[in-house]
Amino acid sequence: MPRSTTRSWKKIPLITLLLAILQVSSSYGQQQLTVTGTVTSKDDGLPLPGVAVSIKNTSQGIATDASGKFSISASKGSVLVFKALGFTPQEVSVNDGLMNVVMESSQSNLNEVVVIGYGTVKKKDLTGAIANIKGADIKAQGVSDVTRSLQGKLPGVTIESAGGNPGSGTRILIRGVGTLGNAAPLYIVDGVPVASINNLSQLDIQSVDVLKDASAAAIYGSRAANGVVLVTTRTGQNGKAVVQMNANYGIQRIAHKLDVLDAQQWAKVSNTAHDAAGLPRLDIARNPDSLGAGTDWQDAIYRTAPVQQYQLLVNGGNQYSNYSVSGSYTKQDGIVKVTGYDRYNLRVKSETTKGRFRFGETVLLTKEKTTNMAGGWGGQGGNPVGSAAKMIPVFQIYDTSALGGYAGAYGPVVNVANPIAQLNLENITKASSSILTNVFGEVTLIPGLVYKLNMGYTSNFITNDDYYKRYVVGTLFTHPTNDLTQSKEQTNLLLLENTLNYTKTLGKSNIQALVGYTYQKTNYTYLLSARTDLPDGLKNIDAGAGTSTTGGNSTESSLLSTLGRVIYSYDDRYLLTASIRRDGSSRFGSSNRYGSFPSVALGWNISNERFFTSLNNAISHLKLRGSYGVLGNQEIGDYQYSAAVASNINYVTGADQQKWFGAIQTSFSSPNIKWENTKTANVGLDAGFLKGRLNITADYFIKTTDDVLLNVPIPGSAGSTANPVVNAGRLRNNGFELGFNYSDHAGELNYSVFGAFSKVNNKVLELGTGSQQIFGGQPTHHGASSTLTEAGGPITAFYLIKADGIFNSQEEIDAYNKNGTLIQPNAAPGDIKFFDANGDGQISDEDKVYAGSPFPSFEYGFGINASFRNFDLNAYFQGTHGNKIYNGLRQDLESMSLEFNYATSTLNAWTPEKHTDIPRAVTNDPNFNDRTSTRFLESGSYLRMKTLQIGYTIGDVLKSKFRITSLRAYISADNLFTVTSYKGFNPDIGRTGSIFDRGVDYGHVAYPIARTLSFGLQLTL
C-alpha cells in the first residue's frame, strides 16, 4: 500500500505538468488567431472607417481603415467589441478568422438629423409629427416603383396600389381624406415640387420624410393640407470614390385568378337559367357534354413575365466638394400579354464649399414608356381582364377568315369582346420624358446667418398614342377603319426661393430662425390630333383619309409666398417651434387670393430633467409634443373663379340656312371661392426603453377641414355644362398612430423588430346646403350607385339595399308582406329576400341602409430584419382590418341573368332539392337578385406577406481576390401570400379615380397584382 501510494503521488506532478503544457499550447494557438473582416453600415451598405474594434475586458484594440477593414489578433472564444459614433455597439464572439460586421444606426441617437421644410433639425429638437424611413430600409424588390416598398411602414401614411399594371404607381393618403377633391400630398424632391415619386430609383433615395401635422407641414402653407412627402436623394461622401452596382431579375405571375366556368359547366348553368325563365336554350349551349373545357380566356391573356432592374451609383468627394452620380434601368413586362413598362433614370448631384460660399445642384432625368391594354370596346366586358372573366368559353380565339384574324361572340349573348383581340388590335402607348433640376447657392453673411438662393425647374412631356386597327370580331364588334389618336401634354414648373437662416447658441438656449420669399409658376399645354381611315400598317396622321379632329388648350398658374419659422430649445429640455406662411394663388379671385397658415408646437424632453435621472436605465429618453396649426388646399382647376365661354359654337338661321359664328357660356363663375383651411391639433410621445433598444412614437390628432372646395350639382337647364366650384363642406379626421422598433443582438445574431399601426376615423360635418348627397361607385355597367357621402356620415360610405337571405318556400314569400300585399311579388323560391328598410311595402332605392365604410378600422405593418454572420433575413407583413369592398365583377359573374360566363359558385345555385346561399339560376331575373345590394359587399381585411428576402454576403477571401468591398446576393419574394376572405383579384384594390368610388372594385377594368420571385446582386467597389 505505501508503495502504491508513493507511485500515485509521483504521477501527480507529471499530470499537472502535461495539463499545463496543453493549456499553454492551446492558449498560444488561440492568441495566434488573426481575425480579419469588414465593417459596413446597414443604412447604405457602405464601409465604415474609424470603427473602434477591441477585445472585451482588455486594452487591446485597433480601428478600421478607410475601406472599413480591420485585422486583429484574438483568442478563439473571446469577444470583439465594435463601437462607432452614431451606431449601436456590437459584441461578436470569435469563432474563426473571418468576420464581417454590419452596424445599425443608434436608434437612441437623438442628434440624428431629420429633414423638415427648408432645412433640417435634430431629432431631439423635433416637435412635429414626422414619419421617416432611410433609403437603406427600402429594400430592393421586384417592383418598378419605390413607393410600393413603403406600404405599411410609415404610421399615419396609407399607400394604396394604383393597379397591378406596370408603371401604375401608388396613391398616398396621409392621415385620411381631408378633402373631397384631390387628396394627394405635396411631393418635394430635393426642394422641388413634383407630381409623384413613382419614377424614382431605390438606389437614389437617401431618406423619405413625411410631414403629417401642421407644425411640420405649415411651412408649405396652401399646398400642405394633405401632408408633405420630402425625398432627399443621395449625397456624395468625403473620401475616395465608392461604386455601388445593383442588379435584380425577377419572374412575375398572377397572384390570384377568378374561378369561372368552363364551356361544359357554363352550358349547364345557362340551360338551367333559361329553363327556369321559360325561355328557349341558346344554340351554343344545347349539347353541354360535347363542349369539353372550351377556351380558358384567363390562361389566354396572362403570362409569366420578367422584371429586371439595374442600378449604378458612384459617390465620392473631399473636404471641399462631393458628388453623387447614378443611373438605372427598369424593364417590367406585364402579366397581361402585350403590356409593359420601361424606365431610364440618370441623376447627378454635387455640392461644393469655398470659404463662406456653398453651392450645388441636382439634375434628375427620367424617360418612361408604358404599353397599356385597351379599355372597353363599347361592350359590357370592359378591358381584356374583365372580358377574360366574362367571355363565354364556348367561343374561339382566332378566325383566320375574319378581318383582323380574331373570332368573337355571336348570337343572342351579351357583347363581351374577345380579350386577345382587344390586346392585339388596339395599340396604346404612353411615353414620358421628365427633367428635374435644382441649383442652389449659399453664402454665410455673418457667423450663423446664411442666405440661400434656390432655383428649381421641372418639365414633364407626355405623348399618348392610340392606334386602333380595323376588324370584324364575331358579329358584335366591327370597326371598319384604321384610326390614330395622338395627344401631347407638357407641364413646366419654375421655382425661385430666397431664404435667410440664422442659427445661434446663447448659453443654454439654441435658436434657429428662418424667413423666406418664394415664387412658383406652372404652365400646362395640351394638344390633340386624330384621323380615321389610315392604310394598314401606317401610323401617321397625314396618312389618314377620313375624319380629322384637332384640339388643344393651355393653362397657367402662379403662387407667391412669404414664410417664417423659429425653432427654440432651452437646455435640451423645452422646445418651441412656430411658423407662418402667407400664400397668394392665381387660382382664386382677387378678393380671396391670399391666405395665411400659422402653426405652433411645444415639446418637453422629460428625460433631460434632473428628477428623471434615476429612471434613465429603464427609460433612455422621453419627450412629449403638442402642436396646432392651419394648413391650406388650392387643388382645384385653374380659372374656376371665372366664367368659361366656348367659341366656335356655330349655327344656321334663316330660309337660306346661313351659317353664323357664335359662342356660349359653358360654366358659371365662382368669384367667391377661397382656400380650404385644415386645422390640425396633434399630441405626441417619443420614448426609448431598455437603453435605447426599444423606441416608440405615438401620436393622436384631430384634423378639421373647413370651406371644402366642392362641385355643387346644378340642373342642366341653368345653362352650364359643368357644376360650379364652391366652398360648401366641412370634414373631420381624427386618429391614433403608433410606430415601434426593437433592436438587439445575441452573439453574432443581430436583429430588429419593427412595426406601424394607424387608426383614422372620418366624418362629414357639413355638405352643400345641408341636405346635399353625393352618390358614387357604380360597380357595373348596369348597376346602381353603391356609395353615398352626406353630412353626419363618413366619406363615401356604402349605402345599399340589404340582402336578407333566400326564400326557401312560397310560404316564406307570402309571409313577407305589408298589410297583406307582398313586398316582393315577383319572387319565387330560391330568390333573394331584400330588407324593406323604410317599411313602405316595396323594395326600392329608398331602402338603402348604411352597410360599412371603405376606410379600414386600422392599418398595420410589421417586420423583422436579422443577420447572422454572412446571412441576413428581411421579412415584412402589411394589412388592413375593418374595411369593406364592393365586388363589382362578382355582381356580374354570379348574376346568371345575362348571357356571359359565370363564377364557379353558380354550380351551387339553389334548387328545390338543394337549398344554398346562392340564388336560383334564372335568366330574366324577375326578382332582381343581381341588384346592387349587400350581397356583393365583402370584407376587405387582409394580411399580406409583402416581402421575404434572404441574403448572403460573400466572404473576405473571395472579396480580396477580386478586390471588392462588399458583394451580397439575395433572393426575394414579393406578395408571397395574402390571407383574406375577399373573392376579387386583390383586396388592395388599385384605382386612382374619384374619392367617391373608393372601395368599389371595378373588376371589369382591373389589372391584377403579381406575385414576384426575384434574384439580386449588390456589389460595392
Side-chain angles (χ1 to χ4, degrees):
M1 287 292 293
R3 293 178 61 182
S4 174
T5 303
T6 303
R7 282 196 293 264
S8 296
W9 279 103
K10 288 181 179 179
K11 290 179 181 179
I12 290 176
L14 181 60
I15 294 173
T16 303
L17 179 62
L18 289 174
L19 288 174
I21 292 172
L22 288 174
Q23 184 175 2
V24 170
S25 175
S26 174
S27 300
Y28 179 79
Q30 290 176 2
Q31 291 172 354
Q32 296 304 304
L33 185 63
T34 300
V35 182
T36 61
T38 304
V39 181
T40 57
S41 168
K42 184 179 180 181
D43 285 346
D44 51 22
L46 296 177
L48 290 177
V51 177
V53 184
S54 62
I55 301 174
K56 191 173 182 179
N57 298 324
T58 73
S59 59
Q60 184 180 352
I62 48 92
T64 59
D65 63 17
S67 299
K69 297 182 179 299
F70 69 93
S71 177
I72 189 171
S73 296
S75 303
K76 188 173 182 179
S78 62
V79 176
L80 295 187
V81 180
F82 296 82
K83 292 183 179 181
L85 183 64
F87 291 86
T88 301
Q90 286 197 43
E91 296 183 1
V92 183
S93 297
V94 175
N95 294 313
D96 53 45
L98 296 177
M99 182 181 297
N100 292 310
V101 177
V102 180
M103 300 193 71
E104 293 189 19
S105 296
S106 174
Q107 298 299 316
S108 61
N109 183 10
L110 300 181
N111 288 318
E112 178 183 346
V113 172
V114 178
V115 178
I116 58 177
Y118 301 98
T120 59
V121 66
K122 292 181 179 179
K123 184 176 289 187
K124 64 184 179 64
D125 296 330
L126 184 65
T127 55
I130 296 180
N132 171 274
I133 188 168
K134 300 298 182 184
D137 294 327
I138 305 173
K139 299 298 179 184
Q141 294 175 240
V143 293
S144 60
D145 66 275
V146 70
T147 53
R148 292 180 187 269
S149 303
L150 302 178
Q151 275 188 302
K153 295 182 179 179
L154 302 171
V157 181
T158 300
I159 300 177
E160 303 170 329
S161 167
N165 45 309
S168 60
T170 59
R171 176 169 67 177
I172 297 179
L173 297 175
I174 299 175
R175 290 187 164 181
V177 177
T179 182
L180 298 180
N182 183 358
L186 172 66
Y187 297 101
I188 304 288
V189 176
D190 283 351
V192 181
V194 296
S196 75
I197 58 173
N198 294 324
N199 62 346
L200 294 180
S201 170
Q202 175 264 335
L203 194 62
D204 286 341
I205 294 178
Q206 181 167 304
S207 67
V208 177
D209 297 87
V210 181
L211 315 184
K212 298 184 292 185
D213 72 336
S215 170
I219 200 67
Y220 288 105
S222 64
R223 300 166 295 166
N226 299 318
V228 182
V229 178
L230 300 175
V231 177
T232 304
T233 63
R234 293 233 183 179
T235 303
Q237 297 178 337
N238 186 6
K240 67 178 184 178
V242 176
V243 180
Q244 287 183 271
M245 292 178 283
N246 291 353
N248 178 286
Y249 184 88
I251 295 296
Q252 309 164 96
R253 301 193 67 178
I254 184 172
H256 172 62
K257 291 182 182 178
L258 299 179
D259 294 325
V260 295
L261 303 178
D262 63 23
Q264 184 183 74
Q265 294 169 333
W266 170 82
K268 290 180 179 180
V269 173
S270 174
N271 290 339
T272 300
H274 281 76
D275 294 345
L279 298 174
R281 296 181 175 184
L282 296 176
D283 290 339
I284 57 175
R286 288 189 182 280
N287 190 3
D289 293 335
S290 67
L291 297 176
T295 302
D296 189 323
W297 291 101
Q298 291 189 93
D299 276 355
I301 71 163
Y302 296 119
R303 65 183 176 184
T304 298
V307 56
Q308 47 194 315
Q309 301 174 77
Y310 306 97
Q311 302 168 333
L312 174 65
L313 171 70
V314 181
N315 280 337
N318 53 43
Q319 58 181 323
Y320 301 109
S321 62
N322 59 67
Y323 62 89
S324 178
V325 181
S326 64
S328 65
Y329 172 66
T330 299
K331 179 176 175 57
Q332 182 182 15
D333 292 344
I335 58 173
V336 176
K337 292 177 179 178
V338 175
T339 62
Y341 174 73
D342 291 77
R343 185 182 72 228
Y344 297 86
N345 288 77
L346 176 63
R347 184 185 62 90
V348 177
K349 185 176 182 179
S350 71
E351 294 182 5
T352 299
T353 301
K354 186 70 172 176
R356 63 174 60 192
F357 295 94
R358 188 171 77 96
F359 49 89
E361 86 293 322
T362 299
V363 178
L364 177 60
L365 308 178
T366 304
K367 184 176 182 180
E368 301 169 273
K369 182 179 180 181
T370 306
T371 303
N372 292 312
M373 58 182 167
W377 273 4
Q380 294 197 44
N383 67 12
V385 169
S387 295
K390 293 184 183 181
M391 188 67 169
I392 295 173
V394 172
F395 299 126
Q396 302 300 308
I397 298 177
Y398 301 103
D399 180 359
T400 56
S401 65
L403 179 62
Y406 293 93
Y410 56 84
V413 298
V414 174
N415 54 345
V416 175
N418 177 339
I420 296 296
Q422 286 180 289
L423 288 172
N424 291 281
L425 293 176
E426 187 173 5
N427 306 135
I428 303 174
T429 59
K430 175 184 177 182
S432 172
S433 298
S434 62
I435 301 172
L436 182 150
T437 58
N438 181 59
V439 179
F440 75 88
E442 285 184 359
V443 56
T444 301
L445 302 176
I446 59 174
L449 180 62
V450 177
Y451 165 75
K452 181 177 182 179
L453 171 63
N454 189 68
M455 297 179 289
Y457 175 79
T458 65
S459 180
N460 189 27
F461 183 76
I462 299 174
T463 300
N464 294 288
D465 282 17
D466 187 342
Y467 181 61
Y468 200 10
K469 300 178 184 179
R470 60 193 184 104
Y471 60 77
V472 174
V473 177
T475 60
L476 304 179
F477 293 92
T478 301
H479 188 69
T481 62
N482 297 311
D483 302 337
L484 177 63
T485 301
Q486 294 181 326
S487 66
K488 300 180 185 298
E489 52 185 308
Q490 184 167 5
T491 304
N492 296 329
L493 180 144
L494 175 66
L495 176 70
L496 296 173
E497 296 178 325
N498 295 271
T499 58
L500 277 173
N501 204 316
Y502 182 70
T503 303
K504 185 70 172 178
T505 299
L506 297 172
K508 295 183 178 181
S509 297
N510 185 275
I511 301 172
Q512 293 184 52
L514 169 75
V515 294
Y517 175 82
T518 74
Y519 170 76
Q520 178 180 316
K521 184 177 182 179
T522 304
N523 290 286
Y524 171 79
T525 303
Y526 173 79
L527 292 172
L528 169 71
S529 180
R531 196 73 175 265
T532 64
D533 200 9
L534 280 71
D536 290 345
L538 289 180
K539 300 180 181 180
N540 293 292
I541 292 292
D542 285 347
T547 304
S548 179
T549 303
T550 60
N553 59 67
S554 63
T555 61
E556 179 179 292
S557 63
S558 58
L559 189 69
L560 194 65
S561 311
T562 55
L563 55 95
R565 179 179 61 208
V566 174
I567 301 175
Y568 173 78
S569 66
Y570 178 77
D571 197 23
D572 286 338
R573 291 183 292 164
Y574 311 117
L575 312 172
L576 167 68
T577 302
S579 66
I580 186 168
R581 180 167 179 140
R582 181 168 175 79
D583 285 327
S585 173
S586 64
R587 291 183 173 175
F588 302 100
S590 57
S591 60
N592 295 299
R593 188 152 288 171
Y594 287 88
S596 298
F597 307 98
S599 76
V600 63
L602 298 173
W604 181 22
N605 278 318
I606 303 175
S607 52
N608 289 344
E609 297 286 357
R610 292 181 180 177
F611 65 79
F612 203 85
T613 304
S614 60
L615 300 175
N616 281 339
N617 288 332
I619 304 176
S620 52
H621 70 269
L622 178 63
K623 178 169 66 177
L624 288 178
R625 297 177 280 106
S627 68
Y628 177 82
V630 180
L631 304 172
N633 184 17
Q634 60 152 4
E635 293 307 312
I636 58 174
D638 295 320
Y639 316 125
Q640 297 293 315
Y641 61 87
S642 62
V645 177
S647 58
N648 294 322
I649 306 299
N650 306 324
Y651 61 99
V652 295
T653 185
D656 58 352
Q657 296 292 285
Q658 182 179 356
K659 182 179 179 180
W660 286 65
F661 298 92
I664 187 173
Q665 181 173 329
T666 57
S667 64
F668 292 126
S669 64
S670 299
N672 296 319
I673 56 174
K674 56 184 178 180
W675 307 90
E676 283 185 5
N677 287 310
T678 299
K679 301 178 178 66
T680 300
N682 189 94
V683 177
L685 170 72
D686 300 324
F689 304 92
L690 306 177
K691 296 183 179 180
R693 293 193 295 272
L694 174 63
N695 291 271
I696 294 175
T697 297
D699 284 274
Y700 176 79
F701 69 91
I702 300 176
K703 185 169 68 172
T704 304
T705 302
D706 296 314
D707 298 321
V708 172
L709 292 162
L710 176 67
N711 290 93
V712 175
I714 60 174
S717 58
S720 173
T721 59
N723 296 324
V725 175
V726 298
N727 296 99
R730 190 163 178 257
L731 311 174
R732 183 180 67 208
N733 285 270
N734 66 284
F736 173 74
E737 303 160 357
L738 176 68
F740 72 89
N741 182 293
Y742 179 82
S743 298
D744 204 354
H745 67 92
E748 294 183 72
L749 174 64
N750 298 285
Y751 62 92
S752 64
V753 180
F754 58 93
F757 174 90
S758 305
K759 179 178 176 60
V760 180
N761 301 310
N762 72 74
K763 186 176 183 179
V764 180
L765 303 178
E766 299 174 9
L767 191 63
T769 60
S771 60
Q772 182 177 354
Q773 296 179 321
I774 302 177
F775 297 93
Q778 182 177 339
T780 68
H781 289 281
H782 49 274
S785 63
S786 59
T787 69
L788 172 66
T789 302
E790 64 178 353
I795 299 172
T796 186
F798 287 111
Y799 275 82
L800 299 164
I801 296 172
K802 183 180 179 182
D804 205 14
I806 287 182
F807 292 117
N808 287 309
S809 66
Q810 186 61 45
E811 288 76 17
E812 292 181 7
I813 298 172
D814 294 339
Y816 193 43
N817 66 80
K818 174 77 171 182
N819 299 325
T821 301
L822 295 182
I823 294 176
Q824 293 179 233
N826 296 321
D831 282 335
I832 298 284
K833 177 183 179 181
F834 295 104
F835 179 59
D836 180 20
N838 65 354
D840 65 355
Q842 59 182 341
I843 303 300
S844 67
D845 285 347
E846 301 300 320
D847 293 308
K848 289 184 175 181
V849 296
Y850 175 74
S853 171
F855 294 94
S857 300
F858 59 85
E859 302 174 60
Y860 59 92
F862 59 91
I864 181 171
N865 297 329
S867 64
F868 179 78
R869 295 188 178 178
N870 290 13
F871 291 93
D872 61 85
L873 168 72
N874 304 281
Y876 187 69
F877 297 82
Q878 172 260 335
T880 68
H881 178 77
N883 56 305
K884 299 289 186 180
I885 300 177
Y886 193 95
N887 193 335
L889 193 52
R890 181 175 149 235
Q891 184 173 359
D892 281 334
L893 297 178
E894 288 191 0
S895 69
M896 296 174 285
S897 62
L898 297 173
E899 311 293 356
F900 43 59
N901 201 9
Y902 310 126
T904 54
S905 57
T906 59
L907 295 173
N908 195 38
W910 188 97
T911 65
E913 298 78 22
K914 182 179 63 175
H915 294 182
T916 68
D917 58 354
I918 303 295
R920 67 187 178 118
V922 54
T923 297
N924 56 0
D925 193 14
N927 188 57
F928 298 109
N929 291 324
D930 65 350
R931 74 170 77 227
T932 301
S933 69
T934 59
R935 175 186 170 191
F936 307 107
L937 187 68
E938 303 181 31
S939 169
S941 302
Y942 71 92
L943 169 63
R944 172 171 294 157
M945 188 167 197
K946 190 71 177 173
T947 304
L948 175 62
Q949 188 174 118
I950 299 173
Y952 180 79
T953 301
I954 308 300
D956 279 353
V957 173
L958 184 61
K959 290 193 298 184
S960 60
K961 181 178 180 180
F962 292 98
R963 297 183 180 180
I964 60 178
T965 300
S966 174
L967 177 60
R968 176 177 177 263
Y970 67 88
I971 186 170
S972 180
D974 302 300
N975 299 323
L976 193 59
F977 63 82
T978 302
V979 179
T980 183
S981 62
Y982 182 62
K983 299 176 182 178
F985 285 117
N986 174 28
D988 176 27
I989 58 178
R991 281 187 67 81
T992 56
S994 168
I995 189 64
F996 304 115
D997 296 336
R998 183 179 174 84
V1000 179
D1001 191 351
Y1002 294 86
H1004 60 286
V1005 291
Y1007 196 117
I1009 65 167
R1011 180 179 293 119
T1012 306
L1013 180 66
S1014 61
F1015 172 78
L1017 289 173
Q1018 297 173 329
L1019 172 66
T1020 302
L1021 300 176

